[in-house]
Amino acid sequence: MKQDLIVILDLGSSQNTVIARKIRDLGVYSEIHPHDITAEELGKLENVKGIILNGGENRMVDGQAVEISPELYDLGYPMISVDYPQSKCKTQMSGFLNQELLEKFVFEDCGAKANWNMKNFIEDQTELIRKQVKDKKVLLALSGGVDSSVVAAMLIKAIGQQLVCVHVNHGLMRKDESESVVKVFRDELHANLIYVDAEERFLGKLENVADPEQKRKIIGGEFIRVFEEEARKLEGIDFLGQGTIYPDIIESGTKTAKMVKSHHNVGGLPEDLKFELVEPLKQLFKDEVRACGVELGLPPEMVYRQPFPGPGLGVRCLGAITRERLEAVRESDAILREEFAKAGLDKKVWQYFTVVPDFKSVGMKNNARVFEYMVIIRAINTIDAMTASVEKIDWNVLERITNRILDEVENVNRVCYDMSPKPPATIEFE
Ligand code: XMP
């Protein structure tokens, strides 16, 4: 292994990730592990230079104080404990682990080297993946989103043709999105890629379904069924690759922190399809995942793309989806993205997209009355997607986008700009 490692043991602090980030910012790799890790498990981690016992406000779980296994003290690693009164370490402190103390612990007490960088991380993960997978095959659902794309690139580097990627085009992708997945992964990275054109199947299932939750359930459920059908056709697959990243694990709940929301990347596969998981990004934060993707040679537009919901344009073609309105969403979204890129807004605005409601309004085209749909533009900024504010777009840019949509997108005679922050509105409309 290339990188030195500082282990943080989670004894109920909400600051675990903050400390992990601070250590990584010092150029030293750091991982958070549960408090009940055994000496044997810890012994399997390579290049451990020191351990931080990180206690805090959640130190009682089910009426019992969380504690580490006493045998960890005998392993001989440098240890520091923070807010952990039961600690038996010598370097013990309460309150905040400030920068000075942290640097002293990491570099002086542990003698760790600042050798954490993406190149080393990729080499380490490549080695770990090869050790785990050996000569077996890994299946991966490749949506084209940042996380699944980076996992795919990492697995291609580690095991090449032993990776089987399945890209399901549910017909709700943005313009040219599926084509770019095929171009990058099959043509350029020579991945073993199965492309499933499931557009008709998804649109068929969604016909006349107007309820947003129902639409989401159908899209999610159908996705799993299509993926499962492909998995059953393949032989000798033992592993399932997943784009799980560190925030997914935190939000799904740790042993000392409650669940915020459950995350399923390819959740809900049937019990009889038994796979062992390969999750090479599970210790990375989102910005680190992007850096990893760049280092692996993925195109910047794939790595720095804005968030895109799993149900895709399905939740932006409001109400019951029709092909006509879906096309209007797709074309107007492409124009918006093109114009935002030209104006440099793609690097400034967190998320921007268009939606098309399921009602019409009166207008005039070529001196005749028309009754057509409207496009709503939404552009927001946020840090964590829990709250969001509206981007104050330059009027000239808005005018240009509006004119292009009215000129180029069929069945549309009106364009609106959504001025609503979150809350009370959510970012998406459905
Ligand atoms: P809302 O609409 O809840 O969206 O304010 C917050 C963020 O989450 C994205 N979003 C999703 N992402 N699957 C995803 O992976 C989904 O089903 C989904 N729904 C919403 C949304 O685009 C925004 O960035």
Side-chain angles (χ1 to χ4, degrees):
M1 299 293 277
K2 299 263 179 203
Q3 308 171 105
D4 290 350
L5 170 63
I6 300 290
V7 171
I8 297 169
L9 292 189
D10 169 21
L11 285 141
S13 169
S14 58
Q15 297 295 306
N16 293 319
T17 49
V18 176
I19 294 181
R21 289 298 312 226
K22 280 188 175 175
I23 298 173
R24 290 185 193 187
D25 286 344
L26 295 173
V28 179
Y29 186 49
S30 169
E31 285 183 359
I32 303 159
H33 287 269
H35 66 276
D36 55 0
I37 189 169
T38 63
E40 196 190 340
E41 287 164 336
L42 197 69
K44 283 189 188 150
L45 302 175
E46 289 183 38
N47 286 1
V48 175
K49 296 291 169 192
I51 301 174
I52 297 176
L53 308 180
N54 199 31
E57 54 280 30
N58 304 322
R59 59 171 67 97
M60 301 293 286
V61 171
D62 297 332
Q64 283 212 315
V66 293
E67 290 201 49
I68 64 162
S69 150
E71 55 186 359
L72 299 193
Y73 294 109
D74 303 331
L75 294 174
Y77 294 116
M79 278 190 184
I80 187 171
S81 71
V82 186
D83 263 350
Y84 177 43
Q86 303 96 313
S87 166
K88 293 187 181 64
C89 344
K90 291 184 194 139
T91 50
Q92 223 186 99
M93 59 171 289
S94 63
F96 192 66
L97 183 58
N98 67 34
Q99 190 68 18
E100 198 182 329
L101 274 173
L102 186 69
E103 287 184 27
K104 181 183 170 302
F105 177 70
V106 170
F107 294 117
E108 291 178 26
D109 303 349
C110 301
K113 285 192 268 324
N115 52 12
W116 149 251
N117 57 50
M118 275 309 147
K119 205 165 176 291
N120 286 344
F121 177 78
I122 291 166
E123 283 192 30
D124 284 351
Q125 286 303 321
T126 303
E127 193 183 318
L128 288 173
I129 292 165
R130 286 181 186 150
K131 253 191 213 164
Q132 184 188 6
V133 173
K134 299 191 178 75
D135 60 350
K136 301 282 192 322
K137 284 189 184 158
V138 180
L139 180 65
L140 175 76
L142 175 59
S143 68
V146 180
D147 304 340
S148 71
S149 297
V150 177
V151 172
M154 179 89 94
L155 286 165
I156 290 166
K157 184 175 163 63
I159 54 166
Q161 294 295 301
Q162 286 164 254
L163 172 72
V164 184
C165 299
V166 175
H167 176 71
V168 178
N169 178 0
H170 51 25
L172 305 165
M173 307 290 279
R174 290 174 292 189
K175 193 171 178 174
D176 299 331
E177 206 165 20
S178 279
E179 289 81 353
S180 108
V181 170
V182 173
K183 181 173 164 288
V184 170
F185 287 97
R186 185 184 281 165
D187 302 347
E188 291 169 17
L189 296 177
H190 308 294
N192 191 352
L193 172 71
I194 298 170
Y195 172 80
V196 187
D197 180 355
E199 178 170 9
E200 292 306 317
R201 178 169 171 169
F202 275 79
L203 294 187
K205 292 267 173 195
L206 287 164
E207 213 170 311
N208 299 322
V209 181
D211 178 67
E213 279 309 303
Q214 195 65 19
K215 283 166 70 179
R216 280 174 171 271
K217 276 200 189 114
I218 290 172
I219 298 168
E222 205 55 23
F223 181 88
I224 288 165
R225 271 187 289 280
V226 173
F227 187 69
E228 182 204 323
E229 282 169 24
E230 293 304 319
R232 286 193 196 281
K233 282 186 213 158
L234 299 163
E235 277 178 14
I237 303 265
D238 291 277
F239 294 89
L240 187 70
Q242 286 223 23
T244 314
I245 69 170
Y246 199 65
D248 300 342
I249 294 178
I250 296 288
E251 289 193 355
S252 300
T254 62
K255 285 184 177 156
T256 63
K258 287 214 170 57
M259 185 181 90
V260 180
K261 58 180 170 181
S262 62
H263 281 256
H264 298 282
N265 288 316
V266 188
L269 284 178
E271 289 265 309
D272 66 322
L273 281 178
K274 284 204 172 62
F275 297 113
E276 192 181 312
L277 295 181
V278 184
E279 299 174 295
L281 309 181
K282 70 172 180 219
Q283 290 287 346
L284 295 190
F285 295 96
K286 193 75 181 190
D287 56 321
E288 296 171 337
V289 174
R290 294 189 208 276
C292 185
V294 170
E295 186 65 38
L296 284 161
L298 289 179
E301 61 275 14
M302 191 166 253
V303 168
Y304 287 98
R305 56 181 241 154
Q306 48 169 329
F308 187 59
L313 300 182
V315 289
R316 296 177 181 171
C317 182
L318 307 186
I321 297 169
T322 62
R323 283 164 206 267
E324 173 176 77
R325 282 191 305 110
L326 186 59
E327 212 39 39
V329 180
R330 186 172 285 130
E331 291 300 322
S332 57
D333 172 76
I335 291 171
L336 182 75
R337 285 192 286 140
E338 206 181 303
E339 291 299 328
F340 262 45
K342 273 193 213 157
L345 289 170
D346 56 334
K347 296 186 183 65
K348 178 171 179 257
V349 182
W350 200 82
Q351 197 172 9
Y352 45 97
F353 54 88
T354 60
V355 302
V356 175
D358 55 352
F359 58 85
K360 295 180 177 180
S361 73
V362 175
M364 293 269 292
K365 277 187 181 171
N366 304 321
N367 290 328
R369 179 190 187 274
V370 288
F371 191 47
E372 290 180 326
Y373 295 109
M374 71 174 65
V375 165
I376 302 173
I377 298 171
R378 184 139 175 80
I380 59 93
N381 288 308
T382 176
I383 290 172
D384 54 8
M386 303 299 283
T387 61
S389 60
V390 176
E391 170 72 15
K392 294 190 175 84
I393 299 187
D394 180 328
W395 193 259
N396 294 316
V397 176
L398 262 187
E399 237 170 19
R400 205 159 42 240
I401 296 167
T402 302
N403 290 339
R404 277 198 62 192
I405 291 175
L406 293 177
D407 280 351
E408 297 172 36
V409 182
E410 285 181 26
N411 305 305
V412 170
N413 66 347
R414 198 177 287 269
V415 175
C416 301
Y417 188 58
D418 183 352
M419 294 292 291
S420 331
K422 174 181 180 175
T426 49
I427 295 173
E428 303 288 345
F429 278 52
E430 290 193 334

